[in-house]
């Protein structure tokens, strides 16, 4: 029993380390100031669900939820920078990994996500 728990904990720790380093390779986190400097020249993608997006989003963002990203990645150009954000930064990190596996290389995400955003917002 103790070996099983130790094995499971070890597997969780190794997986967490793997995710951390693969995200670090796939995406560059940006502060809000850095994000603002570049997102107008890039493709700004909100990876939250549609109801979250409608509740408020960064002006100029397109909504491609993480749950639909694999099927909709062709909507995102590979020759232009991709700026991602979600509510807290977790989903945008996973979205970056997905895009990286599909050949995208110029990927950035908003540190702290939309909940820390103080710039212009649009809501429906």
């Amino acid at each position: 029993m103790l070996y099983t728990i130790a094995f499971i904990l070890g597997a969780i720790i190794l997986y967490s380390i793997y995710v951390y380093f693969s995200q670090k390779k796939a995406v560059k986190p940006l502060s809000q100031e850095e994000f603002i400097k570049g997102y107008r020249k890039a493709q700004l993608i909100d990876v939250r669900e549609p109801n979250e997006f409608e509740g408020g989003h960064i002006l100029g963002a397109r909504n491609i939820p993480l749950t639909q990203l694999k099927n909709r990645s062709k909507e995102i150009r590979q020759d232009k920078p991709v700026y991602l954000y979600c509510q807290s930064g977790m989903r945008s990190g996973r979205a970056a990994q997905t895009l990286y596996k599909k050949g995208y290389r110029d990927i950035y995400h908003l540190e702290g996500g939309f909940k820390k955003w103080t710039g212009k917002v649009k809501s429906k």
Side-chain angles (χ1 to χ4, degrees):
M1 177 69 175
L2 198 55
Y3 288 117
T4 306
I5 294 171
F7 176 77
I8 292 170
L9 280 175
I12 291 169
I13 290 168
L14 287 174
Y15 178 74
S16 298
I17 292 168
Y18 166 76
V19 167
Y20 172 79
F21 283 107
S22 60
Q23 277 187 9
K24 204 164 178 63
K25 185 170 96 175
V27 66
K28 183 175 193 274
L30 299 176
S31 68
Q32 179 172 310
E33 294 75 31
E34 294 168 320
F35 199 82
I36 288 171
K37 284 180 189 170
Y39 83 86
R40 286 183 186 90
K41 296 179 189 119
Q43 302 168 90
L44 181 58
I45 311 293
D46 183 327
V47 298
R48 300 175 302 159
E49 291 302 313
N51 61 321
E52 293 174 283
F53 182 80
E54 288 168 14
H57 57 272
I58 297 173
L59 201 61
R62 276 190 295 162
N63 185 220
I64 302 178
L66 177 61
T67 55
Q68 300 172 18
L69 189 62
K70 280 184 181 166
N71 297 330
R72 294 181 60 191
S73 65
K74 287 188 176 36
E75 295 175 33
I76 303 169
R77 292 172 50 175
Q78 286 196 13
D79 63 335
K80 286 185 78 180
V82 179
Y83 277 54
L84 302 168
Y85 74 92
C86 62
Q87 194 64 26
S88 66
M90 297 297 290
R91 286 178 281 182
S92 57
R94 289 200 306 268
Q97 283 179 291
T98 299
L99 292 173
Y100 190 85
K101 287 176 188 169
K102 290 183 173 281
Y104 294 81
R105 292 297 178 262
D106 206 2
I107 310 169
Y108 306 87
H109 86 117
L110 178 61
E111 265 182 331
F114 186 71
K115 70 179 178 186
K116 296 227 172 131
W117 179 256
T118 58
K120 290 184 182 175
V121 173
K122 182 177 183 182
S123 54
K124 293 190 178 186

